[in-house]
Amino acid sequence: MFPIAYHPIYKHPLPDGHRFPMLKYELLPQQLLYEGTVQPNDFFEPKICDLEYVLAVHTKEYVNQLINLSLEPRAIRKIGFPLSADLVERELRIAQGTLLGCQKSFDTKISFNIAGGTHHAYATHGEAFCLLNDQAIATQFLLNNKLAKKILIIDLDVHQGNGTAEIFKSNSNVFTFSTHGKSNYPFKKEKSDLDIEFLDNTNDDVFLKTISEIIPRLIEQQKPDFIFYLAGVDILASDKLGKLSCTIDGCKKRDEIVFELCHEYQIPVQVSMGGGYSPEIKTIIEAHTNTYRVAKSIF
Ligand SMILES: [Zn+2]
């Protein structure tokens, strides 16, 4: 069994017609329970993250503007969600889900957050549906509390972890690794410690060969004592926002590669969900559910 952060506010409804799919946050836990991959007591409900931990990554000015709902309209447009107290609460609970999850991983080896992976959030501003950077907040927490010395962030979402790269660009205790579509958002990319850009229509073979060569090498070189994994399923060929051509099976093999290595090297890992924008909700749920199925088979 492994702990999974989830709170009913994760499925917080956006105004009618909003293009961001929130349904997956409701269906994924249901599917996991229905098929018996997880049990009800695997879930924990995160509280609101203590601002002290948020402020270890994000600037006071930005956090105050979020809490007071006083962000400039331009900054809100960059985020892409209408700003509301519920939305800010949702982000603070998601951040706490990752922060608490990563601490649980030391016992359980792996933990999950049903949401999170908000890697486009910078210290100073949010972008592309990301307000606060959950894995960055958790990374900084582990370092500040001396729970880890060297952290590897493996971001295999189809979009570059630009916020995460910028936040840790001069922190030698954090190694940021991002694979992403070269021609995808963000169009002005940041510099991670290692970026691998895939061309449009990259298939399973190329994707899997690349990561199965690189990740073991990174673990050997960096010797991380904690890993954060961002398991976005927007690498699928069907994805509306991705431009790669991976299959559901390839996406599952990707998760297997990451989890087998964490298991082999005995490195605790926290997994946040990241993106997934296939037109059929069942495709999104199947791909995300696979990540949990694979974890169950390995851990
Ligand atoms: Zn993405």
Side-chain angles (χ1 to χ4, degrees):
M1 97 15 94
F2 37 76
I4 305 167
Y6 179 71
H7 188 281
I9 205 169
Y10 281 17
K11 57 178 191 263
H12 167 73
L14 292 166
D16 283 348
H18 199 279
R19 68 194 176 97
F20 191 83
M22 300 299 271
L23 188 58
K24 68 176 185 177
Y25 301 104
E26 185 173 355
L27 296 183
L28 179 58
Q30 286 177 12
Q31 176 62 32
L32 289 167
L33 287 168
Y34 172 76
E35 66 181 37
T37 297
V38 309
Q39 302 303 318
N41 59 5
D42 294 335
F43 290 94
F44 68 92
E45 278 198 3
K47 297 185 168 57
I48 289 174
C49 188
D50 195 323
L51 289 186
E52 176 194 343
Y53 306 134
V54 177
L55 290 167
V57 165
H58 295 280
T59 61
K60 199 167 183 172
E61 186 186 8
Y62 174 51
V63 174
N64 280 342
Q65 285 173 337
L66 279 181
I67 305 279
N68 301 327
L69 305 179
S70 60
L71 268 187
E72 299 281 334
R74 204 162 55 109
I76 297 176
R77 277 198 300 277
K78 224 173 157 66
I79 289 169
F81 284 144
L83 189 61
S84 67
D86 279 354
L87 186 73
V88 175
E89 180 184 333
R90 177 181 187 269
E91 286 282 314
L92 287 166
R93 287 193 190 274
I94 291 171
Q96 178 65 17
T98 299
L99 187 101
L100 195 54
C102 73
Q103 295 170 77
K104 291 176 184 285
S105 293
F106 287 103
D107 287 329
T108 59
K109 305 300 177 202
I110 186 165
S111 69
F112 283 84
N113 197 334
I114 287 284
T118 37
H119 56 169
H120 302 309
Y122 284 71
T124 54
H125 67 277
E127 260 185 49
F129 312 127
C130 302
L131 283 78
L132 299 171
N133 194 317
D134 65 310
Q135 290 186 325
I137 291 168
T139 295
Q140 198 60 57
F141 175 87
L142 291 183
L143 292 174
N144 289 354
N145 288 281
K146 302 198 175 355
L147 296 169
K149 288 198 193 78
K150 182 76 188 226
I151 294 174
L152 171 62
I153 300 178
I154 299 176
D155 184 340
L156 305 186
D157 188 278
V158 85
H159 303 101
Q160 193 206 27
N162 54 348
T164 311
E166 169 67 16
I167 287 166
F168 294 117
K169 68 179 178 197
S170 50
N171 188 333
S172 58
N173 297 315
V174 183
F175 192 96
T176 52
F177 169 47
S178 175
T179 63
H180 43 266
K182 183 180 169 67
S183 71
N184 244 344
Y185 168 88
F187 302 108
K188 182 192 161 294
K189 294 182 174 55
E190 302 293 344
K191 201 171 167 351
S192 310
D193 291 304
L194 179 62
D195 288 299
I196 299 290
E197 297 193 318
F198 288 119
L199 300 176
D200 289 358
N201 301 314
T202 291
N203 61 17
D204 288 349
D205 288 349
V206 173
F207 189 99
L208 297 173
K209 185 169 185 290
T210 305
I211 64 161
S212 59
E213 284 170 4
I214 290 175
I215 300 175
R217 206 173 70 215
L218 284 182
I219 292 176
E220 287 288 345
Q221 286 170 350
Q222 300 300 323
K223 302 196 181 352
D225 48 11
F226 199 93
I227 289 177
F228 286 94
Y229 175 38
L230 207 167
V233 301
D234 42 14
I235 63 166
L236 295 180
S238 55
D239 198 273
K240 285 184 288 185
L241 302 183
K243 293 178 179 179
L244 306 190
S245 294
C246 292
T247 65
I248 289 195
D249 198 44
C251 195
K252 187 178 183 186
K253 289 207 173 71
R254 173 197 72 170
D255 297 337
E256 270 167 11
I257 290 167
V258 175
F259 292 159
E260 288 281 9
L261 287 164
C262 293
H263 187 253
E264 182 188 335
Y265 285 87
Q266 292 287 301
I267 304 167
V269 56
Q270 188 279 336
V271 189
S272 284
M273 198 161 84
Y277 316 95
S278 292
E280 297 253 10
I281 188 77
K282 67 177 183 196
T283 312
I284 301 173
I285 298 302
E286 177 68 5
H288 280 309
T289 306
N290 274 339
T291 309
Y292 294 77
R293 292 174 184 143
V294 168
K296 193 177 181 183
S297 73
I298 293 174
F299 289 91

